[in-house]
Amino acid sequence: MCGIAGYSLRPGKTDRTAFPSHAKPDLVAALAAIRHRGPDGSGIFEDADNRIGLGHVRLSIIDLHETGAQPMQNPDNENGMVLSYNGEIYNYLDLRAELEGQGYKFRGTSDTEVLLQLLEIQGLDAVHALNGMFAFAAYDRAADQVTIVRDAYGVKPLYYTENENGCFFSSEVRGLIAMGVTSDAPAADVVGRYLTFLWNPGTQTPSPNIRTLAPGEAITIKAGRIDRQWQWFRSPTLQPQPVSQDVHKTIVNTATHLRDAVHRQMIADVPVGAFLSGGLDSSAVVAFAREHAPDIKCFTIDPTGGPEEGTPDDLPYARRVADHLGVPLELVKVDPNTMARDLEMMVAQLEEPLADPACLNVLYICQLAREQGIKVLLSGSGGDDLFTGYRRHRAVAFDRHFKHLPTAVRRGFSSCSSLLNQKNPFQRRVAKFLSGFALNGDERLINYFAWTARSDILALLSDSARAAVSDVDFTGPMLDYLEEMDEGIDDIDKILALEQRFFLAEHNLIYTDKMSMAASVEVRVPFLDLELVSYAATIPHHLKQRGKEGKWILKKAMEPYLPHDVIYRPKAGFGAPLRHWLRGELREMMQDLLSSESLNRRGIFNPDAVQALIADDVAGRKDASYTILSMMCLELWCRNNLGGTDTENRKYSANNANAA
């Protein structure tokens, strides 16, 4: 795992000393900014005549020698490709064997060299042969163009910007900033999406001039300008699939495909460990990983302050699985005071105001793993997004009994949500289910991802910010994606498509990458193996969400390998006692970040409305803890990126609502 950065400049910009200071493509500074992604080495390739630069920092996982160093080029082909690549290609040994059978020679043993050879032989069509996670930049010297590519499901991030000087790209935003790219105030529609979902669906970032490459997307850059932008990958969940009718065979095949995926992702020249929360997904990954490495070291969280209210305690299940499989289990004790204190650091490392303190658990586990000499961890991320498992999937299955009710009746149900006790975890979830009951079709599906209603968001915004988003649909990117679907897709498959494209890429995977790479650890996700994903798409939706039982097919597949009480335990996740924090450890920070002085200075929110929401939350009239946290994270992002006093460039106007 590594980090990349680079640029392509426009004609007339070859003399860097003539650049304004904010536009200098300083690759040395960019690589220093993302050094945590690759502390084992670095390299730079620059072609001054063609105004091209590629940089790379290396975390040595496969081929630890200089033959794996990057940027990589073929010494026997002076007009060939130059490659700067971040990721792992799990089928690279098969691809290498095919190339060797055709007479091609290799100097080392890295997957990078295989990718380079494929690109030189097949061009960009080579990307369709890859089963892995990656973000790379390939400079085609013969065509004088750079192409940047992101993997099918967005496991690895890649950011870019285009301005009057050229195009710049990096694995992290801080790499762009180091090359002179400025970070601007967030557009109002982006603020609306963060408040709606707690994360931001789509390719926008908080800074309007910086975007992220979408999963399965590629961009070709010529002479400092974007020449072509296209999707090279289309998810199989977007179209109907041939389905298996033999349930027993499907159960067996599910286990076989997952086992193969885990074994493929065990390949490394360094030790491999694993997350083990005690949930089904991470436990299934460890069950098959131990077949390859019987003593694989596993890591879990010990929440010394107790789990989040209404969330089952994971630790006893993690110990149960470790004992059952005979694998060592390392505990990371998490103190609530430490987590609260690290919130500001979390936002800075994520480079966006993603309001989920569970991100810190990934960092703490990766820090301990790295201290113990482990550079690679396997994760169970993606299981819920392939096979169902979230509460919203159960709600969607339940919906089919009510979706044909008259709108007036459904509105009546929806109005009842305000009558439920927000302090009670069960009633809080019922209220969330009922809140969107009056919505129809795709809008109702998307509402299951939402935390804050549009009307509540508009009430929190300042007058100028509210005017800027009056005509903006915060759910737009998700609605547009559903419109790409073929006809006849069931609601369960629709919501899984949204999980895979948005919740994974812009929530789970982005925080997993950023927090793990902060500790210089690579995290692999076997559930997103392309062969497994393709097979999962052929499984009928009723074998995934079977009544109220989520992940039914995966649970049946794992019965021979895991204890029954682990497989059928209540759904849990990396929780954090946020509601308690806002009244304790985070209270002082909340009062500072959301003070009237701070909010007036920033110009995003209405201070009176924010204080009223905080009062409602404290009194239990509303469960607004995550909305409050989202506003806190937005202010932290602004302080980190825009400063804390100068407000002139942070005031909202109707002109910047769609600037990103």
Side-chain angles (χ1 to χ4, degrees):
M1 194 52 58
C2 311
I4 70 173
Y7 62 83
S8 171
L9 305 180
R10 295 186 178 179
K13 302 293 185 180
T14 55
D15 181 4
R16 294 191 205 169
T17 61
F19 284 5
S21 60
H22 67 273
K24 287 184 180 179
D26 189 344
L27 275 180
V28 173
L31 297 186
I34 62 172
R35 182 73 178 180
H36 50 276
R37 299 188 68 91
D40 298 333
S42 64
I44 290 176
F45 168 89
E46 291 185 289
D47 184 334
D49 292 336
N50 293 307
R51 305 166 302 280
I52 301 292
L54 300 181
H56 186 266
V57 291
R58 185 183 184 199
L59 180 64
S60 302
I61 301 294
I62 295 175
D63 189 354
L64 310 184
H65 306 95
E66 281 302 306
T67 48
Q70 298 183 52
M72 184 179 288
Q73 51 190 312
N74 185 348
D76 300 324
N77 185 359
E78 62 181 18
N79 291 317
M81 296 278 191
V82 182
L83 177 64
S84 186
Y85 151 71
N86 165 31
E88 304 290 352
I89 299 171
Y90 303 118
N91 63 333
Y92 86 97
L93 290 177
D94 293 334
L95 296 172
R96 178 185 173 118
E98 292 176 10
L99 291 172
E100 288 176 329
Q102 298 169 24
Y104 292 95
K105 305 295 184 183
F106 292 86
R107 297 180 299 117
T109 60
S110 72
D111 56 338
T112 308
E113 192 175 1
V114 173
L115 176 56
L116 179 65
Q117 289 269 27
L118 283 172
L119 289 170
E120 290 195 335
I121 297 165
Q122 302 176 13
L124 293 173
D125 286 342
V127 73
H128 296 287
L130 308 180
N131 185 351
M133 56 179 185
F134 52 82
F136 68 80
Y139 172 36
D140 185 337
R141 285 182 284 197
D144 191 19
Q145 65 184 27
V146 174
T147 300
I148 57 176
V149 183
R150 191 178 181 194
D151 66 65
Y153 286 94
V155 182
K156 294 290 103 186
L158 190 56
Y159 298 88
Y160 71 95
T161 191
E162 181 181 18
N163 59 34
E164 68 276 10
N165 296 300
C167 290
F168 305 82
F169 51 88
S170 176
S171 294
E172 297 186 6
V173 173
R174 53 178 52 87
L176 297 177
I177 302 301
M179 286 188 284
V181 176
T182 57
S183 183
D184 295 333
D189 53 345
V190 172
V191 170
R193 280 194 278 276
Y194 275 112
L195 289 179
T196 300
F197 301 106
L198 310 181
W199 45 276
N200 181 26
T203 60
Q204 293 170 304
T205 73
S207 187
N209 58 320
I210 297 173
R211 301 188 78 94
T212 179
L213 208 63
E217 188 175 41
I219 292 177
T220 293
I221 306 163
K222 283 190 176 183
R225 289 178 169 84
I226 293 176
D227 181 67
R228 182 189 176 205
Q229 187 165 358
W230 75 100
Q231 284 291 135
W232 66 266
F233 176 81
R234 186 172 192 250
S235 172
T237 56
L238 294 175
Q239 57 265 333
Q241 298 289 318
V243 296
S244 169
Q245 300 300 317
D246 186 328
V247 175
H248 176 72
K249 185 177 181 180
T250 303
I251 292 171
V252 172
N253 286 344
T254 297
T256 299
H257 277 83
L258 179 56
R259 171 187 282 111
D260 291 346
V262 172
H263 289 183
R264 265 192 294 272
Q265 297 196 19
M266 294 289 290
I267 189 166
D269 294 331
V270 296
V272 176
F275 291 86
L276 180 56
S277 69
L280 174 62
D281 300 336
S282 64
S283 300
V285 168
V286 172
F288 291 133
R290 70 175 290 279
E291 296 175 350
H292 192 279
D295 59 347
I296 185 171
K297 187 172 286 189
C298 300
F299 298 85
T300 197
I301 291 291
D302 181 1
T304 57
E308 169 70 299
E309 179 190 3
T311 301
D313 187 1
D314 276 333
L315 185 56
Y317 292 99
R319 285 176 165 149
R320 175 97 163 89
V321 174
D323 290 343
H324 179 79
L325 298 176
V327 296
L329 181 65
E330 297 289 330
L331 304 184
V332 181
K333 292 188 178 294
V334 176
D335 179 84
N337 291 311
T338 301
M339 291 191 78
R341 189 170 61 245
D342 285 345
L343 182 65
E344 183 174 3
M345 176 273 292
M346 179 191 86
V347 173
Q349 184 58 38
L350 289 172
E351 304 184 309
E352 63 175 294
L354 197 160
D356 188 348
C359 305
L360 289 167
N361 289 329
V362 175
L363 175 65
Y364 299 148
I365 283 178
C366 289
Q367 286 174 333
L368 179 60
R370 183 70 193 206
E371 289 172 7
Q372 298 190 6
I374 293 177
K375 287 185 177 182
V376 179
L377 289 174
L378 301 179
S379 167
S381 292
D384 295 303
D385 311 87
L386 257 65
F387 294 102
T388 75
Y390 295 127
R391 292 188 187 100
R392 55 180 167 259
H393 301 150
R394 184 189 305 176
V396 170
F398 195 59
D399 265 355
R400 67 183 72 249
H401 301 295
F402 297 93
K403 63 191 304 181
H404 301 299
L405 289 176
T407 301
V409 175
R410 287 188 281 115
R411 284 176 180 164
F413 276 111
S414 184
S415 65
C416 294
S417 63
S418 62
L419 304 177
L420 296 173
N421 181 6
Q422 295 293 318
K423 290 184 177 181
N424 180 281
F426 174 75
Q427 291 191 41
R428 187 167 62 233
R429 290 164 189 157
V430 173
K432 181 174 175 59
F433 172 71
L434 292 176
S435 64
F437 215 61
L439 298 174
N440 293 305
D442 292 347
E443 290 182 346
R444 177 146 173 76
L445 290 178
I446 294 172
N447 187 67
Y448 283 121
F449 292 89
W451 281 87
T452 310
R454 179 182 176 85
S455 58
D456 292 337
I457 293 170
L458 294 179
L460 290 169
L461 295 177
S462 66
D463 291 343
S464 56
R466 191 182 310 113
V469 298
S470 60
D471 298 324
V472 176
D473 185 352
F474 301 145
T475 68
M478 302 175 86
L479 280 172
D480 291 344
Y481 190 69
L482 289 178
E483 287 180 1
E484 297 178 21
M485 276 194 160
D486 294 346
E487 295 293 330
I489 304 294
D490 185 83
D491 282 351
I492 289 292
D493 289 321
K494 279 187 176 183
I495 201 167
L496 289 178
L498 292 174
E499 304 281 7
Q500 293 166 28
R501 166 57 189 91
F502 294 102
F503 188 66
L504 264 176
E506 272 104 42
H507 182 264
N508 284 1
L509 295 177
I510 198 67
Y511 83 63
T512 298
D513 173 87
K514 294 290 184 67
M515 304 313 281
S516 64
M517 293 310 296
S520 301
V521 170
E522 171 181 298
V523 173
R524 299 177 178 179
V525 281
F527 276 103
L528 295 185
D529 176 274
L530 287 189
E531 290 188 19
L532 176 58
V533 171
S534 296
Y535 180 72
T538 71
I539 299 175
H541 61 84
H542 65 269
L543 296 184
K544 298 172 184 175
Q545 186 67 42
R546 196 174 179 92
K548 68 177 183 179
E549 191 72 66
K551 247 180 314 205
W552 182 85
I553 194 72
L554 181 62
K555 289 175 178 177
K556 298 300 290 185
M558 294 309 300
E559 283 182 353
Y561 309 98
L562 294 171
H564 186 275
D565 58 330
V566 170
I567 294 172
Y568 293 97
R569 59 165 292 194
K571 170 67 180 171
F574 275 158
L578 178 60
R579 296 169 182 88
H580 170 77
W581 288 354
L582 292 177
R583 293 161 178 76
E585 293 87 351
L586 285 179
R587 183 180 179 185
E588 183 177 351
M589 181 185 290
M590 177 186 69
Q591 291 174 337
D592 170 42
L593 294 172
L594 302 184
S595 68
S596 294
E597 179 185 5
S598 177
L599 296 180
N600 279 322
R601 187 169 62 236
R602 192 68 62 197
I604 299 175
F605 298 111
N606 179 325
D608 292 338
V610 171
Q611 293 306 314
L613 182 69
I614 292 173
D616 283 344
D617 183 73
V618 171
R621 291 186 292 269
K622 284 188 176 181
D623 177 31
S625 54
Y626 277 92
T627 304
I628 293 168
L629 178 65
S630 188
M631 291 188 291
M632 292 170 62
C633 289
L634 278 160
E635 173 60 18
L636 282 171
W637 184 91
C638 289
R639 291 188 184 186
N640 288 336
N641 292 274
L642 306 175
T645 56
D646 177 23
T647 63
E648 189 63 29
N649 64 346
R650 296 187 291 281
K651 291 293 184 182
Y652 280 85
S653 70
N655 294 328
N656 75 344
N658 295 299

